[in-house]
Amino acid sequence: MKLATWNVNSLKIRLPQLLEWLPVEQPDVVCLQETKTENAGFPEVELQAAGYAALYSGQKTYNGVAILSRQAGAQPQAGIPGFADEQKRVLAATVGEVRVVCIYAPNGQAVDSDKYRYKLAWYEALTAWLKEELVCWPKLAVLGDFNIAPEDRDVCDPVAWAGQVLVSEPERAAFKQLQALGLADGFRLFEQAPKLYSWWDYRQLAFQKNQGLRIDHILLSPALASRAKACRIDKIARKRERPSDHAPVVVEVT
DNA sequence: ATGGCGCGCGCAGCGCGA
């Protein structure tokens, strides 16, 4: 089984690239973030024609998440139960035996801003919810844009980024809280080359200079981590014209 | 010195992302 996550930064703009990428990569499950599409305008027909069923929780202009799967997802859950939030950032569904959780974590804007405090509160609610989910679902995967670079090796220039949003210690502590639930960073289950990132700023030729961050992740419960065969970041999509600023991350489990 | 780029919205230029 191959699972992927991709922050597409507008599904409407990126749909042609997604439809080209799906038959090349042939994932069984794809979690999308920043669809920026209301549910009424979701391209369900085009994706169905490509062989994927879709579940989605979207809104106009901002945020929006979706789960595509060859086998239709069941028991969909939008949002974190008990955490009131207008922003469409979370969608969970069951595909086969796997509970798939698609997340688009808040950016946080700047350390000590209201958005930063919202980000930390959001992570706290996410962690409490996933702790319960893990009781019900031994095979659980959390895929998405976490907006956290967990370690300095996930940052192109740790000195320049030190203390800033996406790398600050409270954010990294929030990521560690997820790992403390038993969720493994799928990417780090395998030997990886240095300086591999999943996001690059559109400005100043950041991609060409590989000035990026690894902020898109796939977390795996123990039952899935023990079955993981490979995890990689697919940079090819970022090299195209009019790319998303994020690259897909893909994991294979048996 | 605080923008740069790309997106949505909507038709000018701003808010937002990371």
Side-chain angles (χ1 to χ4, degrees):
Chain A
M1 191 183 201
K2 189 185 275 189
L3 304 106
T5 179
W6 192 7
N7 179 324
V8 290
N9 187 16
S10 170
L11 181 53
K12 186 181 170 186
I13 296 292
R14 229 64 66 195
L15 183 61
Q17 290 183 35
L18 178 63
L19 292 173
E20 279 188 37
W21 179 79
L22 288 171
V24 174
E25 190 61 49
Q26 300 194 10
D28 298 287
V29 177
V30 185
C31 293
L32 301 177
Q33 302 85 36
E34 286 207 84
T35 55
K36 300 185 176 179
T37 305
E38 287 180 297
N39 287 351
F42 193 90
E44 191 159 8
V45 174
E46 292 89 333
L47 290 163
Q48 187 77 54
Y52 289 87
L55 294 165
Y56 37 88
S57 176
Q59 66 186 96
K60 200 174 183 177
T61 310
Y62 301 116
N63 310 313
V65 284
I67 298 175
L68 314 181
S69 52
R70 291 187 193 277
Q71 181 189 346
Q75 296 168 272
Q77 161 72 46
I80 302 168
F83 184 76
D85 195 349
E86 297 295 308
Q87 303 183 29
K88 307 301 187 189
R89 297 184 174 278
V90 175
L91 182 62
T94 307
V95 182
E97 289 186 338
V98 178
R99 188 64 172 169
V100 176
V101 183
C102 174
I103 68 161
Y104 172 49
N107 166 280
Q109 194 179 47
V111 172
D112 289 334
S113 66
D114 284 345
K115 288 178 180 174
Y116 182 81
R117 283 182 282 275
Y118 161 68
K119 181 177 190 174
L120 295 180
W122 183 92
Y123 262 107
E124 199 170 330
L126 178 76
T127 304
W129 173 53
L130 290 178
K131 185 177 183 180
E132 300 304 314
E133 287 287 286
L134 281 162
V135 176
C136 314
W137 302 99
K139 293 185 179 179
L140 184 138
V142 188
L143 304 91
D145 177 356
F146 286 66
N147 268 319
I148 297 173
E151 301 175 55
D152 277 353
R153 60 178 166 163
D154 302 312
V155 180
C156 57
D157 186 346
V159 174
W161 276 92
Q164 295 196 55
V165 74
L166 310 184
V167 311
S168 75
E169 274 314 312
E171 291 168 272
R172 286 179 168 176
F175 192 84
K176 288 195 182 84
Q177 286 296 107
L178 289 173
Q179 292 175 302
L181 299 180
L183 295 169
D185 181 347
F187 188 76
R188 294 296 178 203
L189 292 173
F190 302 94
E191 192 154 328
Q192 305 284 359
K195 301 183 188 299
L196 292 178
Y197 310 120
S198 68
W199 170 86
W200 302 260
D201 200 299
Y202 282 121
R203 297 168 290 188
Q204 294 185 313
L205 301 172
F207 180 69
Q208 289 83 342
K209 294 186 271 187
N210 196 32
Q211 294 176 346
L213 302 175
R214 192 176 71 91
I215 55 176
D216 300 87
H217 307 297
I218 299 176
L219 303 188
L220 300 172
S221 66
L224 281 180
S226 63
R227 291 162 169 270
K229 289 292 168 253
C231 184
R232 60 172 216 287
I233 297 167
D234 180 10
K235 278 181 80 169
I236 294 168
R238 188 61 174 80
K239 295 176 182 172
R240 303 186 53 138
E241 278 189 40
R242 267 193 120 180
S244 167
D245 42 356
H246 295 254
V249 184
V250 182
V251 70
E252 287 175 61
V253 296
T254 56

